[in-house]
Amino acid sequence: ITSTKSMDFDGADDYLVSESPTIGTEFTVSAWINTSNVATTGGSYAAFFATGEYDSGTTFKIGITDSAGKIEIWANGAARGTGTSNVADGKWHLINYIKNSTEGKIYVDGVLETTTAYSTALTFPNIYVGLGGNNSPIPDNGGYFDGLVTELGVYDRALTALEVASLYNQGMPTD
């Protein structure tokens, strides 16, 4: 999924769903987000990207958690890393999660914030954008994101730090 126009999610019932690309052990999820709201309908975790099924324990989510507005990664039922910056400040932020065969890395605005050991392979049966709270990324369970998302990309490899910096240096979205 890629877009050069921002998608505006209302935090109540807006989301997109897409079939997933084939993803191996290594991947990158990249998106510009803009929000000032960490609360969601149906849960306290505001995911802007999710995949998997909660009941089977194969979920993967990137979202904003706690009142500090930090990026947090959830995979297979557990937190797999939390950023250090407040991204729920009403400004555009480039979020990158890079997973290789041994670890996951959270980048915010081109800067590495967290590296966490994580070697489990993940599957991406469907991709949900704007949905994925505490429960599974199924509309009946809520967890809707309130904010803007644009230039969402899913790569079938781990981007390098230089590539992440290049994405950030291309400039912030204007809409």
Side-chain angles (χ1 to χ4, degrees):
I1 301 171
T2 57
S3 173
T4 56
K5 298 288 182 187
S6 61
M7 299 170 277
D8 189 355
F9 298 96
D10 65 8
D13 59 5
D14 293 346
Y15 71 96
L16 298 173
V17 63
S18 172
E19 291 183 12
S20 177
T22 301
I23 300 293
T25 308
E26 298 188 357
F27 65 89
T28 300
V29 177
S30 179
W32 284 93
I33 67 166
N34 183 333
T35 187
S36 57
N37 189 355
V38 296
T40 68
T41 302
S44 61
Y45 186 79
F48 63 87
F49 179 93
T51 185
E53 298 300 332
Y54 181 77
D55 294 338
S56 67
T58 59
T59 58
F60 172 74
K61 303 171 191 175
I62 305 173
I64 300 170
T65 190
D66 73 34
S67 61
K70 298 173 186 172
I71 290 295
E72 187 165 69
I73 307 300
W74 275 85
N76 299 333
R80 304 294 178 183
T82 303
T84 58
S85 298
N86 175 9
V87 298
D89 60 1
K91 299 176 184 173
W92 283 106
H93 295 281
L94 179 63
I95 309 303
N96 286 280
Y97 180 71
I98 291 124
K99 167 82 173 66
N100 64 31
S101 61
T102 61
E103 62 191 9
K105 297 179 179 184
I106 298 172
Y107 285 81
V108 175
D109 295 335
V111 176
L112 177 63
E113 291 201 347
T114 303
T115 301
T116 305
Y118 188 58
S119 59
T120 303
L122 298 168
T123 58
F124 284 51
N126 287 312
I127 292 174
Y128 297 86
V129 182
L131 175 66
N134 292 342
N135 300 306
S136 73
I138 297 172
D140 295 342
N141 291 336
Y144 297 96
F145 180 73
D146 184 4
L148 303 170
V149 178
T150 194
E151 298 179 31
L152 174 65
V154 179
Y155 300 83
D156 63 355
R157 62 187 181 83
L159 295 183
T160 66
L162 185 59
E163 290 171 313
V164 170
S166 178
L167 288 173
Y168 180 72
N169 290 331
Q170 289 174 16
M172 287 185 207
T174 57
D175 66 345

